[in-house]
């Protein structure tokens, strides 16, 4: 299965394991909750999906790599205590709490979230002295003398032996205590994730042309060469920062993340070409509805790979702008609920000052963010949104501090909130106009090709562009999407007729 299918399976499994009966007890006893074992090549996103699952289910997440643990750190350290048996005092060996179990309790205390996921990576790379204790843990959820708290589901991961010399293959007794999921690298699945993460357009365009370069691990005379999903994502981050600073990203930089000489060289060449296309086609003029005649003529005569790169660059730009608008809309939606609560409270007779009421909301939100952050249950997107809300509240609180309490009214906050709304509407209108201009350009230069099909499909499958169009509409998109649906249905009917062999 691919990593998305694995994510959906684990998510359902966690929900089932945490299902309770009418007495508040877990339907499946802890001893019967088989840990999930994700078995897959390195760098395909096993850790990333665990973070996503915890965030989407509102659970805490504690992660450990078992290669970093000795028997003592995993099980606890021995100490001597005095106990009395049948009236006789004797020295008895005990163990301190395992670092892993302690981390779970620490996370619960700091976050207030009582249920979660314990994710143990590299589970099949434990030391020989720790291996027997791991078998006991996988069956009974016990490290040393301490059991993991109820409400915590165990998910493990590891690499197949061909990728890691330290791997010890599990015997049947161990495997019979696990739910094994074999996960393979899949570009299409990763592409959806990459679009949400804002992976650099040059990388996505390159991989559209060279899908076979997405994931590769090979043996060479110099040792292992490898290209992984993790490598592409890390390369994306460094490229974006280099561009912000105006630095040149040379092949030496690319090869630090793409550890295959041939692929690193090819991507470096494509990255230079990608930047040349951006300059030659004047992307911003196309989006403003002022596409130069030279750009139109070149696009019409361009080979398919250049056309695909052009569509990709245009998509990258317009979807980035759509994302900004959608994120602002999400920020305003959350802020609206908080401001309504403040206004309702301010109208009560015994209400405090506006400074105090807004301060209370800011404090509550800050504590909520801190708890989710400590639990590992706060996504980057959600954190960004809440920080924007918190910044607004803190700014308003400071403004009310400088005003005379007797004269302070909620109207100033309403005015400032309205300014944010109007700014979002202006940006939405501007993005909608650029989207219209982009459709017009594509209709002109690619009237018969597959470029429009690719463009509309990408707008549909990308979460942010789909939400933007759903929220604010687009007649151009609707017209082309309807035409594509009719075309798809016609093709389906033709295939059904052909299958009848009339």
């Amino acid at each position: 299965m691919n990593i998305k299918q694995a994510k959906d399976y684990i998510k359902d499994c966690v929900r089932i394991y945490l299902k309770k009966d009418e007495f508040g007890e877990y339907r499946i006893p802890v001893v019967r909750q088989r840990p999930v074992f994700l078995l897959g090549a390195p760098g395909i996103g096993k850790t990333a999906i665990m973070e996503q699952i915890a965030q989407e289910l509102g659970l805490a997440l504690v992660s450990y790599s078992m290669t970093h643990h000795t028997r003592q750190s995993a099980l606890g350290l021995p100490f001597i205590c005095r106990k009395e048996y049948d009236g006789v005092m004797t020295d008895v060996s005990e163990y301190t709490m395992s670092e892993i179990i302690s981390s779970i309790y620490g996370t619960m205390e700091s976050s207030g979230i009582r249920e979660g996921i314990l994710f143990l990576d590299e589970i099949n790379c434990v030391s020989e002295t720790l291996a027997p204790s791991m078998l006991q843990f996988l069956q009974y959820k016990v490290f040393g003398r301490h059991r993991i708290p109820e409400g915590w589901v165990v998910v493990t991961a590891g690499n197949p032996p061909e990728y890691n010399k330290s791997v010890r293959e599990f015997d049947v007794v161990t495997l019979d205590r696990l739910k094994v999921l074999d996960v393979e690298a899949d570009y299409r699945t990763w592409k959806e994730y990459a679009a949400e993460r804002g992976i650099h357009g040059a990388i996505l365009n390159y991989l559209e042309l060279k899908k076979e370069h997405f994931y590769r691990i090979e043996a060479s005379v110099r040792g292992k060469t490898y290209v992984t999903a993790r490598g592409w994502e890390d390369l994306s981050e460094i490229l974006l920062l280099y561009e912000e600073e105006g630095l040149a990203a040379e092949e030496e930089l690319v090869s630090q993340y793409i550890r295959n000489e041939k692929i690193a060289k090819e991507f470096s060449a494509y990255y230079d070409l990608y930047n040349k296309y951006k300059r030659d086609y004047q992307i911003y003029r196309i989006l403003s509805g002022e596409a130069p005649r030279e750009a139109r003529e070149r696009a019409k005569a361009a080979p398919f790979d250049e056309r695909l790169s052009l569509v990709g660059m245009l998509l990258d730009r317009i979807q980035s702008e759509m994302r900004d608008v959608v994120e602002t809309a999400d920020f305003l939606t959350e802020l609206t609920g908080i401001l309504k609560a403040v206004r309702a409270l301010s109208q009560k007779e015994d209400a405090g000052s506006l400074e105090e009421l807004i301060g209370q909301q800011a404090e509550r939100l800050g504590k909520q963010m801190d708890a989710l952050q400590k639990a590992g249950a706060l996504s980057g997107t959600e954190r960004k949104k809440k920080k924007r809300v918190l910044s607004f509240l803190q700014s308003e609180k400071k403004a009310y501090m400088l005003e005379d309490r007797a004269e302070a009214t909620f109207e100033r906050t309403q005015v400032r909130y309205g300014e944010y709304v109007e700014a979002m509407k202006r940006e939405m209108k501007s993005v909608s106009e650029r989207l219209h201009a982009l459709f017009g350009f594509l209709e002109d230069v690619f009237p018969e090709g597959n470029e429009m099909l690719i463009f509309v499909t990408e707008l549909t499958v990308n979460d942010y562009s789909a939400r933007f169009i759903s929220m604010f509409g687009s007649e151009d998109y609707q017209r082309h999407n309807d035409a594509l649906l009719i075309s798809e249905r016609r093709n389906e009917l033709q295939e059904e007729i052909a299958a009848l062999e009339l």
Side-chain angles (χ1 to χ4, degrees):
M1 64 174 61
N2 61 45
I3 198 70
K4 183 178 180 181
Q5 292 169 327
K7 175 188 170 181
D8 292 340
Y9 180 88
I10 296 171
K11 193 173 178 180
D12 289 341
C13 181
V14 170
R15 290 174 58 247
I16 292 297
Y17 280 173
L18 296 180
K19 193 175 180 65
K20 297 178 180 178
D21 61 21
E22 64 270 28
F23 305 110
E25 296 182 355
Y26 293 101
R27 295 279 293 275
I28 301 178
V30 173
V31 72
R32 295 296 178 196
Q33 293 182 7
R34 289 192 175 196
V36 176
F37 179 40
L38 278 169
L39 184 62
I44 61 174
K46 298 188 289 292
T47 303
I49 66 165
M50 296 315 305
E51 293 173 352
Q52 294 167 20
I53 291 169
Q55 291 158 6
E56 291 169 16
L57 294 179
L59 301 173
L61 176 68
V62 172
S63 300
Y64 269 96
S65 174
M66 295 310 296
T67 54
H68 301 156
H69 278 284
T70 63
R71 186 174 186 277
Q72 289 75 22
S73 63
L75 302 182
L77 295 172
F79 66 92
I80 304 298
C81 69
R82 298 280 291 173
K83 288 193 175 182
E84 182 178 345
Y85 297 113
D86 291 333
V88 178
M89 296 299 295
T90 184
D91 293 332
V92 178
S93 296
E94 291 282 358
Y95 281 85
T96 59
M97 182 177 284
S98 159
E99 178 187 327
I100 296 173
I101 304 296
S102 175
S103 291
I104 295 176
Y105 280 105
T107 298
M108 290 195 297
E109 288 295 322
S110 61
S111 69
I113 299 177
R114 311 303 295 179
E115 294 181 327
I117 300 170
L118 173 60
F119 178 57
L120 302 178
D121 201 4
E122 307 292 354
I123 195 75
N124 53 352
C125 292
V126 296
S127 64
E128 187 174 349
T129 56
L130 186 54
S133 299
M134 285 307 307
L135 178 60
Q136 178 193 31
F137 173 75
L138 293 174
Q139 182 173 6
Y140 299 109
K141 317 299 186 300
V142 174
F143 268 130
R145 296 176 60 87
H146 300 95
R147 185 183 302 274
I148 69 169
E150 281 197 331
W152 281 75
V153 177
V154 178
V155 180
T156 65
N159 304 136
E162 59 266 31
Y163 297 110
N164 193 328
K165 294 179 180 179
S166 303
V167 165
R168 57 177 68 249
E169 294 195 56
F170 287 150
D171 54 29
V172 175
V173 176
T174 305
L175 291 173
D176 194 39
R177 289 169 169 80
L178 300 169
K179 299 174 76 168
V180 182
L181 303 181
D182 290 302
V183 187
E184 297 178 350
D186 179 72
Y187 170 67
R188 286 298 169 194
T189 302
W190 181 79
K191 184 182 174 184
E192 294 179 24
Y193 164 81
E196 293 178 10
R197 294 282 294 177
I199 297 299
H200 198 291
I203 291 175
L204 292 177
N205 284 0
Y206 174 78
L207 292 177
E208 278 295 311
L209 297 169
K210 299 280 188 177
K211 296 180 180 65
E212 68 276 12
H213 289 177
F214 165 60
Y215 195 97
R216 182 178 294 185
I217 297 181
E218 299 172 333
S220 70
V221 292
R222 297 182 181 179
K224 289 273 189 182
T225 67
Y226 51 91
V227 181
T228 68
R230 183 191 297 125
W232 287 117
E233 184 170 0
D234 291 347
L235 175 60
S236 170
E237 290 189 13
I238 202 70
L239 286 178
L240 291 169
L241 289 172
Y242 262 58
E243 289 173 0
E244 279 185 24
E245 295 296 320
L247 300 174
E250 305 291 348
E251 184 181 333
E252 288 76 11
L253 176 70
V254 174
S255 63
Q256 293 169 14
Y257 299 89
I258 306 304
R259 302 295 294 166
N260 178 296
E261 186 177 350
K262 176 177 179 292
I263 296 176
K265 189 180 293 293
E266 285 191 23
F267 174 75
S268 295
Y270 178 79
Y271 179 66
D272 292 339
L273 187 62
Y274 178 87
N275 288 324
K276 184 177 185 299
Y277 285 159
K278 287 179 91 171
R279 293 190 298 271
D280 291 351
Y281 279 104
Q282 301 181 57
I283 298 299
Y284 289 99
R285 290 189 64 186
I286 293 175
L287 290 169
S288 66
E290 301 173 353
R293 183 179 60 82
E294 298 82 1
R296 292 177 182 272
E297 295 304 318
R298 175 172 176 173
K300 290 177 181 179
F304 182 70
D305 59 345
E306 184 172 329
R307 292 182 174 198
L308 194 63
S309 294
L310 174 59
V311 172
M313 286 186 287
L314 293 168
L315 269 167
D316 184 48
R317 185 64 221 168
I318 197 69
Q319 286 179 332
S320 174
E321 295 180 357
M322 288 174 164
R323 177 175 184 151
D324 290 342
V325 173
V326 170
E327 287 183 343
T328 299
D330 289 342
F331 148 67
L332 290 172
T333 298
E334 179 151 337
L335 181 60
T336 299
I338 292 175
L339 294 183
K340 282 182 177 179
V342 171
R343 182 174 186 177
L345 290 169
S346 68
Q347 293 172 346
K348 293 183 178 181
E349 292 184 6
D350 58 345
S353 66
L354 286 170
E355 172 196 332
E356 292 169 340
L357 293 176
I358 290 179
Q360 289 166 5
Q361 293 294 328
E363 184 179 2
R364 180 191 61 79
L365 181 59
K367 288 181 178 178
Q368 181 190 66
M369 289 175 59
D370 186 55
L372 291 171
Q373 187 73 39
K374 288 177 179 177
L378 187 64
S379 69
T381 302
E382 192 69 12
R383 181 170 59 250
K384 179 180 177 182
K385 178 183 72 175
K386 290 185 182 299
K387 278 188 172 182
R388 291 178 73 179
V389 174
L390 185 60
S391 176
F392 181 96
L393 295 175
Q394 290 171 338
S395 177
E396 287 301 287
K397 177 187 174 183
K398 189 177 292 184
Y400 283 117
M401 287 173 63
L402 301 175
E403 288 189 10
D404 187 326
R405 289 194 175 191
E407 298 178 0
T409 66
F410 193 66
E411 185 179 353
R412 72 167 312 285
T413 297
Q414 288 178 304
V415 169
R416 186 159 177 250
Y417 169 80
E419 291 171 352
Y420 275 83
V421 173
E422 290 304 315
M424 187 205 71
K425 288 180 179 178
R426 289 193 298 271
E427 184 59 23
M428 177 274 293
K429 185 174 182 294
S430 178
V431 174
S432 294
E433 290 172 353
R434 287 195 283 276
L435 179 62
H436 175 67
L438 186 45
F439 268 107
F441 174 79
L442 294 176
E443 288 168 350
D444 175 41
V445 299
F446 307 131
E448 303 295 335
N450 291 323
E451 291 78 13
M452 185 63 78
L453 169 64
I454 294 169
F455 182 70
V456 173
T457 301
E458 292 299 325
L459 288 177
T460 304
V461 300
N462 180 275
D463 181 59
Y464 289 101
S465 55
R467 286 185 62 197
F468 180 93
I469 293 170
S470 174
M471 293 164 68
F472 307 113
S474 168
E475 292 182 4
D476 298 297
Y477 170 84
Q478 197 62 51
R479 184 176 70 257
H480 284 282
N481 191 48
D482 289 344
L484 290 174
L485 290 174
I486 292 171
S487 177
E488 288 176 5
R489 183 56 186 152
R490 182 174 63 245
N491 292 338
E492 289 174 2
L493 287 171
Q494 289 174 345
E495 291 175 1
E496 291 173 8
I497 292 171
L500 294 174
E501 299 181 354
L502 298 176

